[in-house]
Amino acid sequence: MARRKNMKRRRVILSNTFHLIRENGMDNVSLQMIAEKSGISKSLLQSYYPHKAKLTNDIIRNLFNTLGQQVNNYDMANSNTPYARTKAFIYTIAILGMHDEGLDRIISEAFVSNATLDNWGVMLNDWINVDHLFDDVDVDEDELETGIAFVTSGIGRLYHDRKKYHLSAEALADYATSALMLSFLHCSSREIDQALKEGHEIIESADIEVVHRAIDMMFDEGKGIFS
């Protein structure tokens, strides 16, 4: 019973933090604001989350996990290569941020912070490993991990400057996927072209409104959460 109550309160805290950050940006949300919105004292909040960084990291982990689940549900996702699914994943992050000002605050600030930027890379690796994306592909695991770290940093910078360079979500996904495949996984031009084409097919099968609703509901009762 105590554990269930503990998780229920964590769910409420995470949900309220997510909505506050979405409305105001990470820098403009304090632990006191989160505590007040959650109907608890700041000291009780800090017994669950001593620092805001832990809270924001958990928000990003849950967002990332939800996005990964949704990409796996795209109609064409399981019939294409892991490279194509990687493109679809990056596209999904970018398109959501470009069309939702609140999510853009979270995604942009996550890409700016070194701590959360590292987490993006770790979580992308976790998504790849949990779903066994590259199990049937001959790749060097160390090069794959290095490539993901490189691509995560690069795509964060491009996402931040996307208006300056007039970049669409798919263009960002194409740059990231191509860089990973060419520079780290030593794929041929033909393989890259094929992966980008298949990635486009996955994107075409996607219903971003469904993804959006999943994000809105990711802290609802009954949903599995990271905390």
Side-chain angles (χ1 to χ4, degrees):
M1 181 66 71
R3 177 176 173 79
R4 190 178 305 150
K5 183 177 180 180
N6 179 291
M7 185 53 67
K8 183 175 182 179
R9 179 163 282 150
R10 285 183 185 275
R11 189 183 298 278
V12 169
I13 292 169
L14 287 168
S15 178
N16 287 329
T17 304
F18 175 65
H19 288 102
L20 282 170
I21 292 174
R22 201 168 174 176
E23 293 167 10
N24 303 288
M26 290 185 186
D27 290 342
N28 298 316
V29 174
S30 66
L31 288 176
Q32 185 62 46
M33 290 170 64
I34 296 166
E36 289 175 2
K37 189 171 180 66
S38 301
I40 58 177
S41 67
K42 183 179 176 182
S43 60
L44 180 56
L45 170 64
Q46 288 182 294
S47 71
Y48 288 90
Y49 293 98
H51 308 288
K52 194 172 80 170
K54 167 62 175 166
L55 256 173
T56 54
N57 283 344
D58 279 1
I59 295 295
I60 292 168
R61 286 178 68 208
N62 282 282
L63 173 60
F64 200 97
N65 182 62
T66 301
L67 291 176
Q69 291 174 345
Q70 292 304 306
V71 170
N72 290 341
N73 289 336
Y74 290 165
D75 288 344
M76 298 291 293
N78 293 315
S79 62
N80 285 292
T81 67
Y83 306 115
R85 290 172 69 184
T86 301
K87 169 180 170 172
F89 189 92
I90 296 167
Y91 167 85
T92 302
I93 294 172
I95 198 70
L96 286 169
M98 290 180 182
H99 289 85
D100 184 305
E101 187 177 349
L103 289 177
D104 180 46
R105 291 190 183 99
I106 296 173
I107 293 167
S108 292
E109 294 182 45
F111 278 135
V112 168
S113 163
N114 285 333
T116 49
L117 189 59
D118 287 344
N119 278 341
W120 281 108
V122 170
M123 288 184 286
L124 185 52
N125 267 308
D126 287 345
W127 176 65
I128 285 170
N129 291 329
V130 168
D131 288 291
H132 307 286
L133 251 64
F134 288 89
D135 283 5
D136 298 325
V137 182
D138 184 20
V139 297
D140 183 286
E141 290 186 7
D142 289 338
E143 284 195 280
L144 176 61
E145 188 169 342
T146 302
I148 287 170
F150 175 85
V151 165
T152 303
S153 178
I155 203 66
R157 179 61 181 270
L158 285 177
Y159 179 85
H160 187 266
D161 291 333
R162 64 190 184 277
K163 292 180 182 177
K164 176 181 176 181
Y165 297 117
H166 310 290
L167 295 173
S168 67
E170 186 163 9
L172 282 167
D174 282 346
Y175 281 135
T177 307
S178 298
L180 178 65
M181 292 180 70
L182 179 65
S183 299
F184 296 93
L185 304 181
H186 315 295
C187 296
S188 67
S189 296
R190 183 187 62 78
E191 289 174 312
I192 294 170
D193 290 344
Q194 183 65 23
L196 298 186
K197 179 183 176 183
E198 291 179 358
H200 180 77
E201 291 171 356
I202 298 175
I203 290 166
E204 288 290 292
S205 77
D207 187 338
I208 297 300
E209 286 302 314
V210 171
V211 181
H212 213 279
R213 286 196 295 274
I215 291 170
D216 289 339
M217 299 167 59
M218 67 183 177
F219 294 116
D220 286 3
E221 190 69 34
K223 302 288 184 182
I225 61 170
F226 287 103
S227 179

